[in-house]
Amino acid sequence: MKKSAILLGMALALTALWLNVGFYETYFAEDNRAVFFIKKYPTLQVRFESIFLSDQDDKPLERLSDEERSVVIEYCKYRLGIETEMKTQDELDACKEK
């Protein structure tokens, strides 16, 4: 009985961790690393991408593909707590790392 309670507690803790912690990787020439964060909203997605964290120049909104916009929208919502439709340059600028 005691072992099953411990296993159940561990399973619940791991589930809570999975739903509430995420990470992204930085892609700088001299410093590549994984950055962990507490999500603003629970989701099953754990790995996120930020198009802002690399050595490349920032792209203006009109040059982002649909896939890149989707990546930015997810990053903004779960990492920063900003829900956006990504229709203006100001919305894109608000999603850059603070």
Side-chain angles (χ1 to χ4, degrees), residues 47-65:
R47 182 183 179 141
F48 294 84
E49 292 183 45
S50 174
I51 65 169
F52 310 116
L53 299 174
S54 70
D55 287 335
Q56 299 177 357
D57 292 333
D58 290 344
K59 286 185 183 179
L61 181 64
E62 61 270 1
R63 289 189 43 223
L64 292 180
S65 67

Side-chain angles (χ1 to χ4, degrees), residues 15-30:
T15 301
L17 187 68
W18 185 274
L19 291 173
N20 293 299
V21 175
F23 78 95
Y24 58 90
E25 294 182 26
T26 60
Y27 297 102
F28 297 110
E30 61 280 334

Side-chain angles (χ1 to χ4, degrees), residues 1-88:
M1 183 72 172
K2 204 173 203 182
K3 287 182 183 180
S4 62
I6 291 172
L7 289 175
L8 179 63
M10 288 175 54
L12 290 173
L14 287 174
T15 301
L17 187 68
W18 185 274
L19 291 173
N20 293 299
V21 175
F23 78 95
Y24 58 90
E25 294 182 26
T26 60
Y27 297 102
F28 297 110
E30 61 280 334
D31 183 30
N32 295 333
R33 61 188 176 108
V35 178
F36 291 87
F37 62 92
I38 305 225
K39 298 176 202 171
K40 301 296 183 185
Y41 302 97
T43 180
L44 293 175
Q45 183 177 352
V46 176
R47 182 183 179 141
F48 294 84
E49 292 183 45
S50 174
I51 65 169
F52 310 116
L53 299 174
S54 70
D55 287 335
Q56 299 177 357
D57 292 333
D58 290 344
K59 286 185 183 179
L61 181 64
E62 61 270 1
R63 289 189 43 223
L64 292 180
S65 67
D66 289 340
E67 183 179 335
E68 289 172 321
R69 284 178 195 231
S70 176
V71 165
V72 172
I73 289 169
E74 288 178 353
Y75 176 82
C76 289
K77 180 178 180 179
Y78 295 109
R79 169 71 172 104
L80 304 173
I82 301 171
E83 293 192 48
T84 180
E85 293 182 9
M86 205 55 57
K87 299 217 183 266
T88 66

